[in-house]
Amino acid sequence: MSSENLPQSPEQQLRKPRVAVVFGGRSSEHGISVVTAGAVLNAIDRTKYDVLPIGITTDGRWALTADEPERMAITDRKMPEVAQLAESTEGAVVLSVDPGSREVVYSEPGSVPKALGEVDVVFPVLHGPYGEDGTLQGLLELSGVPYVGAGVLASAVGQDKEYMKRVFLSFGLPVGPYLVVRPREWDNDPSGARKRIVDFAGDHGWPLFIKPARAGSSIGITKVDDLSGLDEAIEEARRHDPKFLVESLLRGREIECGVLEFEDGPRASVPAEIPPVTSHDFYDFEAKYIDSASGIVPAPLTEEQTAEVQRLAVEAFEATSCEGLVRADFFLTEDGTFVINEINTLPGFTPISMYPRMWQESGVSYQELVDRLIQAALSRPTGLR
């Protein structure tokens, strides 16, 4: 019997829904996840919800952390870590995989495990592999615990840029030129893979962007102006993912659009524009998170262009079977065509991040956005749907 069909005790009926905010993780976006968690914890209405912060360390331990959002900020250009917030260096949080129970247990070596109570919904703010890619979502499906955001398939597709682009193309969405180099190809025949990349540059021109296939926040991406920087760029991408993509430069404007699931279906926010960053070669990690490059919200587009990018953003949401939220990133090319670059199923979510800013401009405050996502997750069953 699934947990959503279990009879509730009077205590369960009276208590507030309990939200587990899960953050950190094993990916290279660990620090950004901690920053996001701080913002979400600040925004959750404590008169409506009980909150349980759970941090995942870089080595994968689920740790009980203090509910202290002020310690989850970037300080002196350094990212926070779960290890600094954990209440113990050895204690671990365990979520039951029995769908008849949503009990969370905390254990430390040499001590009797302590029950922390049931969790009604998980708000995952993990970015990158081992969290945003369907792995955590699969665990929560097994546990029968509702969660914010996309399901297993959509999360996996949204994380892997190769298959994301394949899905977009199959639904007729415009995608720019790209090339995929898989781990076995690079390991067995690096010279052949390198030749394919050089041939790709011959067809589409330099510069190229070399990027990990399954990473985000612009981590591991290098702009390569000629052949001399290619090997170093490949090495950097493969530090984060053995599979990497090669993309050509699309000349035009960078436009983003948020999608949020309402009761009547997904709707698009007003779009935003990421202006050229003069102090950086492109909109990389440092520009996004350290130097706080600002976007223009709403983007200075015509009514027709705004309607078109909103339509494409919702189509991308539907094509990948997303739920909850998505940020869709586009290029508006010099010939006036929108080309979709990627979607983020768990986009940057601090109050100054582009996704919340676009919804703020669309009439949905940060606190309302967080509440709407929690309520949507609570109303959605786990399992096939």
Side-chain angles (χ1 to χ4, degrees):
M1 181 165 59
S2 65
S3 56
E4 57 261 26
N5 297 321
L6 289 173
Q8 289 190 319
S9 67
E11 179 184 349
Q12 288 174 312
Q13 292 171 356
L14 290 173
R15 70 175 176 82
K16 294 180 287 188
R18 198 168 198 213
V19 182
V21 178
V22 180
F23 62 97
R26 295 163 55 190
S27 83
S28 52
E29 297 176 79
H30 177 98
I32 291 301
S33 175
V34 178
V35 174
T36 300
V40 170
L41 287 169
N42 259 328
I44 293 178
D45 185 348
R46 304 308 175 96
T47 67
K48 291 179 64 174
Y49 308 104
D50 285 327
V51 178
L52 178 66
I54 300 174
I56 302 178
T57 63
T58 53
D59 60 0
R61 178 173 63 93
W62 288 44
L64 192 62
T65 67
D67 187 3
E68 298 176 356
E70 64 278 3
R71 295 175 58 198
M72 302 179 183
I74 300 172
T75 305
D76 297 327
R77 302 175 69 89
K78 293 182 180 178
M79 291 289 172
E81 295 186 15
V82 167
Q84 301 164 348
L85 304 165
E87 294 191 352
S88 165
T89 58
E90 295 183 301
V93 174
V94 179
L95 177 66
S96 170
V97 292
D98 176 4
S101 170
R102 295 174 178 172
E103 190 82 12
V104 175
V105 174
Y106 178 71
S107 63
E108 290 195 59
S111 300
V112 176
K114 178 174 65 175
L116 299 178
E118 290 192 342
V119 165
D120 297 291
V121 62
V122 169
F123 199 130
V125 290
L126 295 143
H127 301 303
Y130 313 110
E132 190 181 351
D133 59 351
T135 49
L136 176 66
Q137 290 75 13
L139 172 64
L140 296 173
E141 292 285 352
L142 289 174
S143 302
V145 180
Y147 53 92
V148 169
V152 175
L153 174 65
S155 297
V157 169
Q159 185 63 39
D160 191 313
K161 293 178 176 61
E162 175 192 358
Y163 289 99
M164 181 198 307
K165 291 176 185 291
R166 289 181 182 273
V167 169
F168 289 158
L169 286 168
S170 72
F171 277 82
L173 289 161
V175 172
Y178 73 98
L179 179 72
V180 179
V181 179
R182 298 170 179 269
R184 188 178 296 115
E185 178 186 4
W186 184 258
D187 292 339
N188 294 342
D189 186 15
S191 60
R194 195 178 290 104
K195 182 180 183 304
R196 281 210 304 135
I197 297 170
V198 173
D199 290 344
F200 179 84
D203 292 335
H204 301 286
W206 299 90
L208 302 178
F209 289 91
I210 312 297
K211 58 176 63 175
R214 294 161 290 193
S217 296
S218 298
I219 290 175
I221 298 179
T222 305
K223 181 183 177 184
V224 181
D225 293 313
D226 53 44
L227 190 60
S228 64
L230 183 59
D231 284 355
E232 185 178 349
I234 292 171
E235 183 179 339
E236 172 61 17
R238 282 173 53 84
R239 279 202 316 115
H240 302 278
D241 188 345
K243 180 167 76 168
F244 64 93
L245 263 67
V246 181
E247 295 178 349
S248 63
L249 173 68
L250 290 176
R251 300 189 185 280
R253 299 160 61 188
E254 292 190 48
I255 306 294
E256 299 183 349
C257 189
V259 179
L260 180 63
E261 194 168 11
F262 287 77
E263 291 77 9
D264 60 350
R267 302 181 198 170
S269 70
V270 299
E273 179 170 4
I274 308 300
V277 185
T278 56
S279 58
H280 295 263
D281 211 16
F282 62 99
Y283 194 44
D284 61 6
F285 179 87
E286 291 266 329
K288 285 182 179 178
Y289 299 109
I290 304 299
D291 295 336
S292 300
S294 58
I296 303 169
V297 188
L301 300 171
T302 66
E303 288 186 13
E304 292 77 12
Q305 289 172 328
T306 296
E308 175 66 3
V309 76
Q310 289 174 326
R311 180 186 70 81
L312 290 170
V314 171
E315 281 195 15
F317 182 96
E318 297 282 34
T320 47
S321 299
C322 281
E323 294 167 301
L325 73 164
V326 148
R327 192 193 74 227
D329 300 345
F330 298 86
F331 292 105
L332 177 55
T333 60
E334 293 175 338
D335 66 1
T337 301
F338 282 104
V339 175
I340 188 164
N341 183 37
E342 64 180 29
I343 58 168
N344 281 268
T345 56
L346 284 172
F349 208 81
T350 69
I352 62 169
S353 297
M354 295 310 300
Y355 183 86
R357 285 183 60 197
M358 287 187 285
W359 279 109
Q360 176 78 40
E361 191 68 25
S362 304
V364 181
S365 70
Y366 188 83
Q367 289 73 20
E368 183 185 349
L369 190 58
V370 169
D371 186 71
R372 179 171 287 279
L373 289 168
I374 293 172
Q375 287 297 319
L378 283 167
S379 66
R380 188 169 59 232
T382 55
L384 297 176
R385 53 190 182 274

